[in-house]
Amino acid sequence: NSPSGSEQQLADQLASREEELVSLMSGGAALDSMLERLDTCRHGVGIAYLLRAQSRASPCDCGLSRRLASWLTGAEARQVQVAGRAVTGMVRSAAEAACVQPMPAALLAGQAAVLAAEKLSSGGGDELTPAHTDALMCLVYAKAYHAAVRLADKTLLTRVASRQLSEQTAGSIATISVAEAHSGTRPHRRAPRESSTVVTVQPADLVRYLYYAGLAYCGEHRFVEAAHHLRMCTTVPATCASAVSIAAYKRLVLCNLLARIAPAAALPKYASAAMARHIAKRGTAPLCAYAELATAVESDDLDAVAKILADQAFDRDGTRGLADQVPDAARRRLVHKLALAYVNIPVAAVADRLALPPRDARNLLVDMIARNQLRAKIDADDLRFLPTHEEHGKAHHLHSHLRHLDRLANKLHTMAEHVATNPNLLFKAHRNHASDDPHNNIPDLTPSALLLPDATSVTLTFP
């Protein structure tokens, strides 16, 4: 629903007098006693600006997330959208304050941010808003990855609540219409309207959303989706490499290794030139360990993988949890390569290739078979690889195709025999050949035909 005129006027008036409210809250005004005398349904917009002023006056207030969640639970979506900018600022302040406190505070702030995201977007929470970014940040900090993944799964990046991206930062993204793209004209850029209702998604919000979404998928061990979001975060158009993009690239390399996406350390061609230059200098930057790890895994050098993981760079970057999963992923990757080269192989030989004791190698193979990651059977001390479902499907398709070709060949052979032995067809073909042969109209110029009846020879002159 569109905001009513009175609520819109009240929101604009309170936004213009926000500094006075902040001064009032800084002077020690009792916010809880004010909230008790106000009705959420009737005074929802006014409560939002009181909470916003309190968040600015006391940024580290532990009760802000609780008050915000309580108000968002009872407020209507229309009221939240009218006070959109105030709500966005409150959620940001609550999230930043909660992430330096124990995890329960971050979880409460994350729940409040989720409520704000659902009511700020008119599509039921599937349109990207700044509150989505703050919700993911709090939920990831609280290690509530399942809740963060549910929010990321239903958020559509192609739909932005404000229908525009702000261009106040260097890494802004310009939206060009189809007509402008074909005509080659430069799009006209308008500054976002300064209103209490407009909720603008900054490019920094988009980058941070992609980064925290990737971390959430990592927490749920969904490394393919994590690599997808981290790749988008790394390749967002920008004039300089940001700290978030660099952190996303480090985790992108590890997620590519865990998801068996090759090449793991390469940036897409559509990445920004600034990010590409920064990655190209990885020989002197802290990114060297990640590039060397990717090279070692892709070359199946497990000894080099173990040596590289001893580097303290993974501890400094906070990626030790992902890095410790790389050796197991590298061994599983090597087992899949062996399945392409062998039909039967001794388990002891597999253990030697994996640099594991025979018992640990057998346990790894049993785990891969139990998780349907490998179609194989262990007979005594031998490992026998079985055809995969995809190979079965290809073989069945090839067999049916060959049978169809065999039937077609038999039918063509039968038709050829019928044509070669049918007298009617032979007579018709001979008659058509005789009538169509141009040599039948050429006169007979043999010597015997050129002799006159009296056997007198004549001389013929041709032009």
Side-chain angles (χ1 to χ4, degrees):
N1 299 329
S2 59
S4 61
S6 59
E7 290 180 337
Q8 183 63 61
Q9 293 176 2
L10 175 62
D12 295 338
Q13 184 179 4
L14 291 175
S16 62
R17 304 182 64 179
E18 185 175 342
E19 298 299 331
E20 299 179 13
L21 293 176
V22 173
S23 301
L24 178 64
M25 293 301 171
S26 301
L31 178 62
D32 291 332
S33 60
M34 293 182 184
L35 296 178
E36 290 177 358
R37 295 194 297 267
L38 296 176
D39 183 15
T40 304
C41 296
R42 296 176 55 193
H43 311 107
V45 177
I47 293 175
Y49 279 91
L50 288 176
L51 292 175
R52 173 55 178 161
Q54 178 65 24
S55 67
R56 291 185 57 188
S58 302
C60 299
D61 187 3
C62 300
L64 178 61
S65 299
R66 175 181 53 81
R67 299 189 189 99
L68 180 59
S70 176
W71 173 72
L72 288 170
T73 302
E76 299 179 359
R78 173 177 47 81
Q79 295 173 331
V80 177
Q81 292 172 8
V82 169
R85 297 186 65 184
V87 173
T88 302
M90 275 190 294
V91 171
R92 179 62 52 83
S93 300
E96 292 176 351
C99 287
V100 296
Q101 298 175 6
M103 290 184 182
L107 184 59
L108 181 59
Q111 293 174 350
V114 170
L115 290 174
E118 292 177 350
K119 294 189 176 183
L120 279 174
S121 59
S122 59
D126 60 345
E127 294 180 345
L128 181 62
T129 65
H132 285 81
T133 300
D134 299 321
L136 286 180
M137 180 179 67
C138 294
L139 294 175
V140 168
Y141 179 79
K143 296 185 179 180
Y145 300 119
H146 58 287
V149 164
R150 284 202 302 268
L151 179 64
D153 283 338
K154 72 174 185 178
T155 303
L156 302 179
L157 294 179
T158 55
R159 299 175 61 184
V160 183
S162 64
R163 302 297 192 274
Q164 60 183 347
L165 292 179
S166 176
E167 301 177 3
Q168 298 175 358
T169 62
S172 61
I173 304 172
T175 303
I176 305 176
S177 64
V178 177
E180 291 168 341
H182 284 288
S183 62
T185 59
R186 185 174 181 178
H188 177 65
R189 300 182 177 183
R190 294 182 178 179
R193 177 189 173 190
E194 295 294 335
S195 172
S196 59
T197 306
V198 175
V199 178
T200 306
V201 178
Q202 303 284 347
D205 296 327
L206 176 62
V207 172
R208 292 172 61 244
Y209 170 83
L210 294 171
Y211 175 70
Y212 287 115
L215 295 186
Y217 284 114
C218 287
E220 288 291 294
H221 288 219
R222 294 169 57 177
F223 297 114
V224 176
E225 291 92 339
H228 174 66
H229 283 77
L230 293 173
R231 187 180 302 108
M232 287 194 295
C233 179
T234 307
T235 57
V236 166
T239 57
C240 61
S242 64
V244 178
S245 299
I246 295 171
Y249 173 76
K250 297 175 182 179
R251 288 154 180 82
L252 172 62
V253 174
L254 298 177
C255 288
N256 285 340
L257 294 176
L258 295 175
R260 291 190 296 168
I261 300 176
L267 272 179
K269 294 182 179 180
Y270 50 84
S272 65
M275 192 65 187
R277 287 193 301 268
H278 187 84
I279 300 302
K281 299 178 182 178
R282 58 189 175 201
T284 57
L287 303 176
C288 182
Y290 298 89
E292 292 177 354
L293 180 62
T295 303
V297 171
E298 291 172 354
S299 60
D300 300 326
D301 191 350
L302 299 179
D303 294 334
V305 170
K307 293 178 181 179
I308 295 171
L309 289 178
D311 194 340
Q312 297 298 322
F314 302 102
D315 297 312
R316 292 193 301 267
D317 297 335
T319 57
R320 175 58 65 182
L322 288 174
D324 288 342
Q325 302 178 51
V326 171
D328 182 72
R331 292 187 176 94
R332 294 173 188 264
R333 173 194 181 104
L334 184 55
V335 171
H336 283 285
K337 285 188 176 181
L338 295 176
L340 298 176
Y342 297 95
V343 177
N344 294 307
I345 185 173
V347 177
V350 177
D352 292 339
R353 295 292 299 274
L354 299 180
L356 288 175
R359 184 180 182 85
D360 294 342
R362 182 183 290 269
N363 292 337
L364 176 63
L365 295 173
V366 170
D367 182 71
M368 293 183 66
I369 295 172
R371 294 173 180 266
N372 290 327
Q373 297 177 356
L374 179 68
R375 284 184 54 83
K377 181 183 291 186
I378 300 176
D379 295 331
D381 294 333
D382 292 335
L383 177 66
R384 182 163 61 91
F385 296 106
L386 303 176
T388 62
H389 296 291
E390 183 179 359
E391 292 174 349
H392 271 300
K394 290 182 179 179
H396 178 72
H397 177 72
L398 181 60
H399 182 64
S400 61
H401 189 61
L402 289 176
R403 285 190 300 176
H404 175 70
L405 291 178
D406 185 61
R407 290 194 298 267
L408 182 61
N410 292 333
K411 187 174 182 179
L412 292 175
H413 182 69
T414 304
M415 293 176 62
E417 289 182 348
H418 177 69
V419 170
T421 58
N422 191 315
N424 295 329
L425 292 176
L426 290 175
F427 177 75
K428 184 177 181 180
H430 178 71
R431 184 180 59 184
N432 293 338
H433 178 71
S435 61
D436 295 339
D437 190 358
H439 297 287
N440 293 334
N441 299 326
I442 298 177
D444 190 3
L445 300 179
T446 58
S448 59
L450 295 177
L451 294 177
L452 295 177
D454 57 356
T456 304
S457 60
V458 296
T459 302
L460 297 178
T461 303
F462 296 93

